[in-house]
Amino acid sequence: YKWETIKEFEDIRFEYCEGVGKITINRPRYRNAFTPQTVQEMIEAMDHCRYDENIGVVILTGEGDKAFCSGGDQNVKGVGGYVGKDGVPRLNVLDLQKKIRSLPKPVVAMVNGFAIGGGHVLHVVCDLSIASENAIFGQTGPKVGSFDGGFGSSYLARHVGQKKAREIWFLCKQYSAQEACEMGMVNKVVPFEELENETMEWCKIMLERSPLALRMVKAGLNAELDGQAGIQELAGNATLLYYFTEEAQEGKKAFLEKRKPDFSKYPKFP
Ligand code: 1HA
């Protein structure tokens, strides 16, 4: 695949090819651990993917064949969060998780190695996970003085069930790609050399599907779990569609023409 750089960043690569936006965490020296800056760059790239009409699907991955992402960079973990150049401690990966979830396009985790700790949670919040055979999955929080009780726990439990989710978090063991697939948190496992091809095949199929339908299904699946925020997303999409109707147009026109709206001709469906 011929990937073209969309924008240069320090900690990530952000590229485009055939309708797909690819975000690659590029800190292989630290097993692609993230700092607040890495996360900020990913947030910016995700926003770009949201607004770029040429992008229909997003891939999130890590550089190299060792790690997808090993979570927060322990070298910059301070008191109250991970400390960036501005000296402020942050847990901004939580904002990134919400971005991935509310992006109205599919986000695919292409898991090329260790998905550990906060890096494991990133694959959990993606819509689909395709893994290479060498990928290894696990949480480490209770071993290294952390935990993610948000999506990293409750959404994980939706994939693997409560007992397994508790096992994953309480014991902090590592699991093979095959085990992760059998548990239901990975969609497909392929040899490392085939990872990008396989992932792109999945992306191409989704790019042939109706983007509005994908958007609505993602919002619907989110809504069941996300409370008012989930309903807001789903209802926002309903509003978007409603604005396409003459009925909604009549309301706006009447206001601008300073007359009473006439909704009488619009059907009251059974
Ligand atoms: O829990 C949260 C959060 C919770 C709520 C809200 C926000 C959160 C945000 C983040 C997190 C977390 O991510 S907590 C979990 C933090 N991560 C970890 O505990 C994983 C640490 N790493 C490992 O367990 C292993 O490195 C590994 C299983 C990923 C790979 O093992 P391997 O192949 O044996 O390599 P290793 O030798 O350990 O690592 C290679 C180099 O990468 C080492 O550096 P070197 O000794 O060569 O100088 C290692 O220190 C570095 N490295 C790996 N992971 C990290 C790291 N450096 C900094 N931070 C890392 N996470």
Side-chain angles (χ1 to χ4, degrees):
Y1 289 95
K2 279 216 167 81
W3 293 99
E4 296 163 24
T5 300
I6 295 176
K7 189 182 167 189
E8 300 276 358
F9 287 98
E10 273 180 48
D11 287 3
I12 66 169
R13 278 190 289 114
F14 182 32
E15 296 161 301
Y16 174 85
C17 177
E18 296 175 24
V20 179
K22 184 167 77 163
I23 300 170
T24 308
I25 305 174
N26 192 15
R27 302 185 77 234
R29 165 68 184 82
Y30 302 102
R31 295 290 187 266
N32 294 324
F34 55 75
T35 68
Q37 176 172 332
T38 321
V39 171
Q40 188 48 46
E41 291 179 1
M42 285 195 275
I43 287 173
E44 210 183 295
M46 283 291 169
D47 276 337
H48 180 107
C49 291
R50 177 164 195 147
Y51 301 125
D52 189 336
E53 285 208 30
N54 298 315
I55 294 177
V57 181
V58 181
I59 294 176
L60 180 62
T61 190
E63 177 60 30
D65 61 0
K66 296 274 191 300
F68 170 74
C69 175
S70 63
D73 187 327
Q74 298 304 291
N75 299 301
V76 302
K77 191 176 177 192
V79 178
Y82 295 86
V83 182
K85 285 176 190 158
D86 60 2
V88 179
R90 292 175 205 281
L91 294 173
N92 59 346
V93 77
L94 299 176
D95 299 325
L96 174 63
Q97 293 172 8
K98 285 195 282 188
K99 285 265 176 219
I100 293 172
R101 215 168 153 74
S102 62
L103 193 86
K105 302 171 182 177
V107 182
V108 185
M110 184 164 91
V111 186
N112 54 307
F114 284 106
I116 298 284
H120 188 258
V121 177
L122 284 181
H123 107 83
V124 166
V125 297
C126 287
D127 297 298
L128 299 168
S129 296
I130 316 265
S132 51
E133 285 166 350
N134 60 313
I136 292 175
F137 297 78
Q139 298 295 158
T140 59
K143 202 162 70 179
V144 298
S146 185
F147 64 91
D148 183 341
F151 288 129
S153 296
S154 58
Y155 193 38
L156 175 68
R158 291 288 178 147
H159 299 164
V160 301
Q162 283 280 345
K163 294 278 184 187
K164 269 288 171 194
R166 283 162 210 245
E167 173 189 317
I168 290 168
W169 273 102
F170 292 179
L171 277 73
C172 301
K173 290 200 303 184
Q174 294 184 349
Y175 301 89
S176 69
Q178 198 49 46
E179 286 172 311
C181 196
E182 281 157 16
M183 274 188 245
M185 60 179 178
V186 161
N187 295 86
K188 178 138 194 199
V189 182
V190 294
F192 181 81
E193 310 74 57
E194 287 166 31
L195 182 60
E196 185 159 288
N197 273 342
E198 183 72 22
T199 308
M200 283 299 275
E201 284 307 312
W202 286 53
C203 292
K204 278 185 196 156
I205 295 173
M206 290 188 283
L207 287 167
E208 285 173 9
R209 304 295 179 239
S210 154
L212 259 180
L214 297 187
R215 178 188 180 111
M216 295 300 290
V217 171
K218 177 164 176 174
L221 288 165
N222 285 353
E224 188 216 342
L225 308 174
D226 289 357
Q228 283 195 333
I231 292 168
Q232 187 234 26
E233 219 175 84
L234 189 62
N237 284 323
T239 305
L240 184 160
L241 294 178
Y242 173 60
Y243 282 2
F244 278 98
T245 65
E246 250 185 58
E247 184 177 338
Q249 296 292 331
E250 165 62 10
K252 180 195 72 177
K253 272 193 216 142
F255 175 82
L256 292 175
E257 291 164 11
K258 300 191 186 306
R259 60 175 171 81
K260 256 177 88 175
D262 176 12
F263 292 119
S264 62
K265 59 181 160 191
Y266 301 110
K268 296 175 185 63
F269 294 106

